[in-house]
Amino acid sequence: MHRHLFIGAVLLLSGCSTIGITDLFQDYATQLRPVRQAVSQNDIDTANQLLPSNSSMHSNYLLNQLETARLAFLSDQHSEANSTFEAVYMNMEKKRQAAKLQISAGLEQSNALLTNDSVISYEPPAYEMTMLHSYKALSYVFENQLESALVEIRRANKVQEDALKDNQAELDKRTEEAAAGYPDMTMLIGDVKNGFQNAFTFYLSGMLYEANKQFDDAYIDYKKALEINTDNTYLQQNVLRLAKKQGFDQDFETFSQRFGKLNEVNANQGQVIIIAEQGLVPAKQEYNLRLPIYTSRGDARFYSIAMPVYSDVPYVSSQKNITVSGESLTLTPIVRLESLAAKTLKDQSAGRVSRQVLRLVAKEKMRAELARSGGDVGNILANIYNLASEQADTRSWLTLPNQLSIAQTAMTPGNHSLWVSGHGKIDFAVSKQGLTFVYLTFINNYFDSHVVQL
C-alpha cells in the first residue's frame, strides 16, 4: 500500500502540480540547449519550434514567455515581442499586489521539499526585468515611438530603484554561513556591487532623453551609468559634454580632473551611437555540495546536494572593433549580463542552501518511513526517487546576450558606412546636430542591425 502511495505522490507532483515529468528529471538549462544552438546558428524558426510550451499554471510559464518574446525580438517581430513582454510585466505586477498568492507560494515551497526548487514559480530577477523593459524600449525606438520608449525606460529605472531599496536589508548571518562552501565565481562577477544595477539601461535612458531634448534628464542617467561603469570612456565623454552644455561648471571641473579633457564636437556635426549585444548569457551548471545531516542518534551523515553555479570563466567577444567611414572604433562593454547573473545567484546562495538542507531532511524522513513500511523495496524506491529528483535549479533567461557594448563618435552631416568584419557594410545618414542610433546583434552566426534617426 505504501508503495502505491509513493508512486501516486510522484505522479501527483509531476502531473498535477507546477511541473511536468520532463522538468522533474531534466533541468532547464539542458532543455534549452537546442534552442540556444539554433539561435547561434541563425535559425530562429527552429529555436521557436524547440522552445518548451507550458501552460500558465507551469512554474516556468513566465520564463517561457520571456524566451518567446526574445525570439520574436530577434525575428524583428517587435509588436509581438512587446505584447508578450507586457504580459510578463503585468503578471509580475499582479503577483506583487495579490496577497492571496502567498497561499499558493506556500504550497509550492512544500512541494519543493519533496522534489527540487524547479517547482517554485519562476519570478524574473531584477536584472532580467530591466532587460525586459529595455527590449520593449528598443522595439519602440525601431518603430520611431520615442515617447513609448521613454515610458519603458522609466519602468526599467524603477526596477533598479526598488531593488536598491530592498537590498539595504542585511542577510541573516547564520543563513549566510550555510553557503560557506558555495563557489564564489569571483572572476565572473568582477567588480559589480550587486546583481541589478545595469549601466546599459541608464545609458539607453540617457540617449533617449537626449534625443527628446531632455538634456538634464539625460545628464542624470549618463552619470548613473558612469557610477556603475567608471572606466567607460564614452560615458566619461558624454558626462563631460552635457555638464558643459547645461552649464554645470563645478561638475565639469570635477569630471575634467578625473577623466581628462572633453573632446570638442563641431556645432555642425551629428552624434552616432552604436550599441552591440554580443554572445549568449551563460547557462547555470550543476555543482554538488556535501553537507552533514545529523540523525536522531547524533550521527553525522554526509549528503551531496545539487546547487546551480556559473562556470567562473568570463566571456571574451571576438568582435571588439568596428569601422565607421574609415575610423576604427572600439566596442567597449557597458554591461556584462553574466556578471549580474552570477552576482544574483551568489546573493541567493544562502537561501538556496537552507532550502536544500530542509529538503534533505524531508526526503530522508520519507525514505526512512518507506523503509520501515515497505522494507527493501520501499527503501530502493525512495532512494531512486531522491537521486532522480535531486537536481539543481538552472532556470534563467537563456536567450539574453552575454554583454552589451557601445561606441560613439561625432561625424559630419551626410551619408556614411559602417563596416562589420564578416558581415559587410551598413549605410546610414548623419544630420546636423542630429543623433543616429545603430543597434547590432552578434550571436555566433546570427547577425542583425537596425539604424534609426532620433
Side-chain angles (χ1 to χ4, degrees), residues 178-413:
Y182 199 76
D184 57 21
M185 300 172 285
T186 303
M187 290 179 62
L188 199 62
I189 293 172
D191 57 1
V192 299
K193 297 178 181 178
N194 53 59
F196 51 83
Q197 284 189 301
N198 188 337
F200 161 68
T201 300
F202 285 127
Y203 178 77
L204 180 62
S205 176
M207 181 191 77
L208 296 180
Y209 278 129
E210 189 171 1
N212 207 41
K213 310 302 182 187
Q214 296 174 243
F215 298 113
D216 283 356
D217 292 323
Y219 177 64
I220 290 171
D221 281 354
Y222 280 144
K223 281 206 303 181
K224 288 179 180 178
L226 185 59
E227 288 172 5
I228 301 169
N229 192 335
T230 55
D231 295 330
N232 192 294
T233 55
Y234 298 116
L235 285 176
Q236 295 170 5
Q237 285 295 308
N238 278 342
V239 168
L240 284 167
R241 177 172 54 82
L242 284 184
K244 183 175 182 179
K245 178 180 177 63
Q246 297 305 100
F248 301 134
D249 296 336
Q250 187 172 350
D251 280 7
F252 181 76
E253 181 64 27
T254 299
F255 286 126
S256 295
Q257 291 176 3
R258 286 182 61 189
F259 304 124
K261 62 186 245 180
L262 169 66
N263 298 327
E264 298 289 348
V265 177
N266 189 296
N268 292 323
Q269 290 182 312
Q271 287 287 334
V272 178
I273 290 180
I274 300 156
I275 295 179
E277 55 176 335
Q278 300 165 300
L280 284 174
V281 71
K284 296 172 186 172
Q285 301 175 5
E286 188 171 288
Y287 173 81
N288 291 313
L289 184 65
R290 287 181 59 80
L291 291 177
I293 299 296
Y294 292 90
T295 67
S296 58
R297 298 178 180 178
D299 300 325
R301 293 183 180 178
F302 281 85
Y303 291 83
S304 179
I305 62 174
M307 297 288 289
V309 68
Y310 286 105
S311 175
D312 201 10
V313 181
Y315 170 78
V316 178
S317 172
S318 60
Q319 191 75 47
K320 297 181 179 179
N321 296 281
I322 55 175
T323 303
V324 179
S325 292
E327 177 187 4
S328 179
L329 296 178
T330 301
L331 287 170
T332 305
I334 186 75
V335 66
R336 292 166 56 225
L337 291 180
E338 63 179 7
S339 297
L340 300 187
K343 179 60 176 169
T344 297
L345 181 60
K346 179 66 175 177
D347 290 345
Q348 295 171 345
S349 62
R352 287 181 183 274
V353 171
S354 295
R355 283 198 302 275
Q356 287 283 44
V357 171
L358 292 175
R359 182 177 299 121
L360 278 177
V361 172
K363 286 185 174 182
E364 174 59 21
K365 286 182 177 179
M366 182 182 73
R367 184 208 60 76
E369 176 61 29
L370 285 171
R372 280 193 295 268
S373 60
D376 290 341
V377 174
N379 188 45
I380 291 171
L381 284 172
N383 280 321
I384 290 174
Y385 174 75
N386 288 347
L387 287 171
S389 62
E390 181 56 37
Q391 65 175 18
D393 181 6
T394 58
R395 292 177 299 175
S396 66
W397 187 358
L398 288 177
T399 49
L400 282 175
N402 194 302
Q403 71 179 29
L404 290 108
S405 301
I406 63 174
Q408 189 168 339
T409 188
M411 304 194 73
T412 56

Side-chain angles (χ1 to χ4, degrees), residues 390-446:
E390 181 56 37
Q391 65 175 18
D393 181 6
T394 58
R395 292 177 299 175
S396 66
W397 187 358
L398 288 177
T399 49
L400 282 175
N402 194 302
Q403 71 179 29
L404 290 108
S405 301
I406 63 174
Q408 189 168 339
T409 188
M411 304 194 73
T412 56
N415 296 321
H416 296 272
S417 295
L418 182 152
W419 290 87
V420 180
S421 177
H423 299 287
K425 182 178 69 168
I426 300 170
D427 295 323
F428 63 92
V430 175
S431 60
K432 179 181 177 181
Q433 297 184 345
L435 198 160
T436 302
F437 174 44
V438 181
Y439 192 81
L440 307 173
T441 302
F442 303 92
I443 306 175
N444 292 346
N445 293 328
Y446 175 94

Side-chain angles (χ1 to χ4, degrees), residues 91-156:
N91 199 309
M92 286 296 293
E93 287 298 295
K94 289 178 182 178
K95 278 179 174 288
R96 292 190 182 97
Q97 296 169 9
K100 64 181 181 181
L101 287 180
Q102 293 299 320
I103 299 174
S104 64
L107 291 174
E108 288 178 357
Q109 294 283 349
S110 298
N111 282 346
L113 290 180
L114 292 178
T115 51
N116 52 63
D117 279 1
S118 297
V119 305
I120 302 172
S121 292
Y122 186 83
E123 294 190 9
Y127 82 91
E128 291 185 353
M129 289 302 295
T130 62
M131 291 307 298
L132 178 154
H133 293 302
S134 296
Y135 279 127
K136 284 196 71 181
L138 285 167
S139 292
Y140 284 128
V141 168
F142 299 156
E143 296 175 351
N144 293 300
Q145 299 180 41
L146 184 56
E147 287 300 326
S148 295
L150 286 169
V151 169
E152 293 306 321
I153 282 301
R154 294 184 192 104
R155 285 177 170 180

